[in-house]
Amino acid sequence: MPFDVEAVRKDFPILAREVHGVPLVYLDSANTSQKPQVVLDTLTDFYANHNANVARAVHTLGSEATNAFEAARGKLAAFVNAPDRNEIVFTKNSSEALNLVAYALSNAATTIGAERFRIGPGDEIVVTEMEHHSNLVPWQLLCQRTGATFRWLRIGDTGPDGGRLVEDEIDTVITERTRVVAFVHQSNALGTINPVSRLVARARAVGALTVVDASQSAPHLPLDVQALGADFVAFTGHKMYGPTGVGVLWGRYDLLAGLPPFLGGGEMIETVDMTGTTFAAPPHRFEAGTPMIAQAVGLGAAVDYLSALGMENVAAHEHALLEYALPRLAEVEGLRIIGPATAVDRGATISFTLAGVHPHDVAQLLDEGGIAVRAGHHCARPVCVRYGIPATTRASFGVYTTTEEIDALVAGVRRVGEVFR
Amino acid sequence: MSVPMDSIYQQIILDHYKNPHHHGLIEEFDAEVHHVNPTCGDEVTLRVRLADGAIADLGWDGDGCSISQASTSVMADLVVGKPVAEAMALQERFLELMQSQGNAELTEGDEDVLEDAVAFEGVSKYPARVKCALLGWMAMKSAVVESDRQEETA
Ligand SMILES: Cc1ncc(COP(=O)(O)O)c(C=O)c1O
């Protein structure tokens, strides 16, 4: 079945909106995606017809809510090809999923039976220079708590073929001292898709754990945690056409089963005594308190929606948009693409600068023409530092993006240049 | 190339951005301040010289978005040569205008005293940009306070 973008657009009610009296051109899906009607309907149906707390109510609604929540877990497991549905931990977003791993690891320092996870002075944690702050700050904090050393893989040259990791340094930065390698699958600031298999192979060879931040890949390409080969994978619902307030940590079952909890509370225990507590098995060990029930169910509907479109088709559609957009943007006078300028190993998120115009002015003036893009450092400030710029303007595409919208963007950016020149 | 009537980018703002006034640091000054706006990364360094209770001279240098740079230029035009009390009253009025969330009712009196600064009215609808418009004004205020403090201790 060919990908019918016009049919897809009809599934997203917000796309019928106007802003400033012109049709909305939404090019900020990397920030958060819009939601299809089926996700909105699922949320309403849950609250209208099945709402109850999960796992603790014996009544009918309680069973329906629990079944819907656990069915969503199964859908997410299938979506990322997880071998076991109990490897899917619901979190509030990617940031919490990544913090969960970092805190569980430092909690291991004082947990009997978790010795193999202990991290301390002399150990090293490796990230990359292109991480979102959510996959950077938790590891800096882990290093502060444990005395481990924080290291990173650098971004290579910043020219048209640049914006990629210095692969030659993988073997020198990831060493026998490395305990964790945490890296972004697809950069939200540059669009770069990182060489997962090389990174994972090196980490494996030195016995380090791997944590992949898939926030920007889960919505855009087929994600198979078994093929990635990593130990943990984090992603966030709101960027993949699901609700806000729900994210996922996938982890290998034996690792999850060996790790101590991050947050304590209801639902994560086996038995509680005033003198001590034992913990539930994964995934519940990591889901303290009443979870985001409706949102998880909504995310289940979102991945059903994506699977019906077919992730291969989604990826092909967005790749075609990227190939359409890159050369057209590059032709605009004064425009510099920040990130790889070719469509190789690259997602459909394009950061750029425009000579003489501040990115916030670019974004504001585009908004006056109905075009929504993001401006700033995109929570990846070290990327801007590496490029020697304060900020970028970023256009990012999704399942509903059209070539007409890219034409509108290119014309809009041209116009911005003329206004400020 | 023109912008729509209701654009926040009024021609006056674009003109000041392209040709900023009182741009460049003055050699003789009583106080220097450096202010930054973390949202856009805007920066301004500003120096003032006071004489006889008035702002005798002011010069600035900066980097950042058009709103911050143009607003600093407009502010400099307005306050140079004015008694400090009047400059502070203008600063207060401009701050009120920026905090109006697009609901300011500008009077003719406002236009007389704020002159080009009324062009920034549209910015008040965008909370993320209000800080940009205020950057130079806040820097001017702290520089004047700083000069006064130095005079007292001198
Ligand atoms: C690459 C990347 N990692 C992590 C995050 C954090 O996602 P969230 O804010 O949903 O936790 C984002 C999005 O902002 C992202 O783009």
Side-chain angles (χ1 to χ4, degrees):
Chain A
M1 194 182 61
F3 192 87
D4 181 354
V5 69
E6 286 310 322
V8 168
R9 290 181 70 81
K10 293 206 175 71
D11 296 331
F12 290 80
I14 208 167
L15 298 180
R17 236 205 94 149
E18 294 194 340
V19 289
H20 302 294
V22 286
L24 167 69
V25 173
Y26 188 76
L27 301 178
D28 197 20
S29 292
N31 202 351
T32 198
S33 65
Q34 297 302 345
K35 320 302 174 200
Q37 188 64 48
V38 63
V39 168
L40 307 180
D41 289 346
T42 302
L43 289 170
T44 307
D45 175 61
F46 179 82
Y47 280 125
N49 299 310
H50 310 288
N51 182 55
N53 209 334
V54 291
R56 37 181 112 161
V58 294
H59 51 68
T60 303
L61 293 185
S63 308
E64 288 176 12
T66 306
N67 288 340
F69 182 65
E70 292 303 329
R73 195 187 304 282
K75 289 177 185 187
L76 268 297
F79 186 69
V80 298
N81 195 30
D84 179 350
R85 56 190 302 287
N86 290 320
E87 294 178 337
I88 299 291
V89 178
F90 283 119
T91 62
K92 81 172 177 212
N93 50 29
S94 285
S95 305
E96 192 187 60
L98 295 160
N99 275 281
L100 190 166
V101 180
Y103 275 94
L105 285 172
S106 55
N107 290 345
T110 50
T111 304
I112 294 161
E115 288 78 6
R116 65 178 166 136
F117 295 111
R118 281 189 188 165
I119 290 172
D123 291 335
E124 295 179 353
I125 308 291
V126 174
V127 301
T128 82
E129 202 176 7
M130 65 171 84
E131 294 313 308
H132 187 282
H133 297 163
S134 293
N135 198 31
L136 193 158
V137 182
W139 303 112
Q140 283 178 334
L141 291 171
L142 174 69
C143 288
Q144 280 177 23
R145 289 195 301 276
T146 59
T149 303
F150 185 76
R151 299 193 64 183
W152 61 91
L153 290 160
R154 294 183 306 150
I155 298 170
D157 87 85
T158 55
D161 296 321
R164 301 186 190 276
L165 295 179
V166 183
E167 290 200 37
D168 292 347
E169 292 179 354
I170 290 177
D171 290 350
T172 50
V173 174
I174 303 173
T175 68
E176 265 66 33
R177 290 184 297 278
T178 309
R179 300 296 310 281
V180 179
V181 182
F183 61 94
V184 68
H185 190 185
Q186 177 182 315
S187 160
N188 65 309
L190 298 170
T192 312
I193 295 178
N194 281 317
V196 180
S197 51
R198 265 208 74 179
L199 290 160
V200 167
R202 177 63 186 163
R204 276 266 179 79
V206 300
L209 294 170
T210 45
V211 182
V212 177
D213 175 0
S215 305
Q216 296 289 350
S217 48
H220 304 297
L221 40 94
L223 191 67
D224 179 333
V225 294
Q226 299 189 58
L228 286 182
D231 296 309
F232 299 96
V233 177
F235 50 98
T236 196
H238 69 96
K239 293 188 202 287
M240 49 197 292
Y241 313 102
T244 52
V246 60
V248 169
L249 174 70
W250 170 84
R252 285 182 194 285
Y253 190 84
D254 64 311
L255 295 174
L256 291 175
L259 278 170
F262 162 40
L263 300 172
E267 237 52 86
M268 50 77 72
I269 51 97
E270 184 180 60
T271 173
V272 176
D273 235 297
M274 293 317 285
T275 53
T277 295
T278 56
F279 303 114
H284 298 109
R285 179 184 305 171
F286 303 102
E287 294 178 353
T290 299
M292 54 310 279
I293 308 167
Q295 290 80 354
V297 175
L299 180 56
V303 300
D304 278 349
Y305 179 80
L306 281 172
S307 298
L309 292 179
M311 286 310 289
E312 296 285 353
N313 299 330
V314 168
H317 168 67
E318 294 180 9
H319 192 76
L321 292 172
L322 178 66
E323 288 189 315
Y324 185 85
L326 281 173
R328 283 169 176 77
L329 279 170
E331 258 175 31
V332 176
E333 199 187 328
L335 189 143
R336 174 186 176 203
I337 289 175
I338 302 299
T342 58
V344 182
D345 289 334
R346 194 194 197 297
T349 288
I350 308 176
S351 276
F352 60 88
T353 57
L354 192 62
V357 193
H358 192 283
H360 281 87
D361 289 327
V362 177
Q364 187 101 45
L365 207 49
L366 286 176
D367 177 69
E368 291 183 356
I371 303 170
V373 296
R374 184 168 173 191
H377 53 48
H378 315 294
C379 303
R381 197 173 161 272
V383 172
C384 286
V385 173
R386 176 71 187 86
Y387 275 80
I389 51 177
T392 76
T393 306
R394 181 187 73 184
S396 53
F397 309 154
V399 289
Y400 34 61
T401 307
T402 65
T403 51
E404 289 77 19
E405 288 182 309
I406 294 168
D407 292 341
L409 170 71
V410 172
V413 175
R414 276 222 166 84
R415 197 175 141 267
V416 171
E418 285 160 13
V419 166
F420 279 90
R421 212 155 285 138
Chain B
M1 183 84 208
S2 63
V3 295
M5 282 289 288
D6 62 350
S7 172
I8 76 167
Y9 297 101
Q10 298 297 308
Q11 196 57 46
I12 297 173
I13 297 181
L14 295 170
D15 290 346
H16 275 275
Y17 177 58
K18 292 174 196 173
N19 294 302
H21 301 175
H22 296 279
H23 192 260
L25 295 175
I26 52 175
E27 294 294 329
E28 271 179 62
F29 58 98
D30 297 319
E32 174 184 298
V33 296
H34 180 74
H35 279 209
V36 297
N37 164 24
T39 2
C40 295
D42 305 326
E43 297 191 26
V44 61
T45 305
L46 183 148
R47 290 178 177 176
V48 289
R49 187 171 73 246
L50 304 187
D52 305 325
I55 298 182
D57 204 2
L58 179 157
W60 62 279
D61 195 8
D63 204 0
C65 73
S66 64
I67 303 298
S68 68
Q69 306 300 300
S71 184
T72 305
S73 169
V74 167
M75 177 279 300
D77 272 354
L78 278 171
V79 303
V80 170
K82 289 248 163 64
V84 165
E86 238 177 85
M88 290 298 140
L90 279 175
Q91 194 270 346
E92 281 291 317
R93 183 63 193 122
F94 187 74
L95 180 62
E96 264 174 52
L97 179 65
M98 284 302 104
Q99 291 172 340
S100 67
Q101 301 178 343
N103 302 317
E105 291 190 8
L106 283 174
T107 64
E108 266 176 43
D110 283 328
E111 289 180 29
D112 288 345
V113 296
L114 287 175
E115 301 178 26
D116 283 0
V118 296
F120 292 86
E121 187 201 355
V123 176
S124 70
K125 276 182 284 194
Y126 297 92
R129 305 307 297 279
V130 166
K131 281 210 179 83
C132 313
L134 287 175
L135 183 72
W137 288 89
M138 293 305 196
M140 182 273 291
K141 186 178 173 184
S142 358
V144 168
V145 170
E146 178 74 8
S147 311
D148 277 347
R149 205 175 52 84
Q150 284 181 0
E151 207 160 288
E152 274 163 30
T153 52

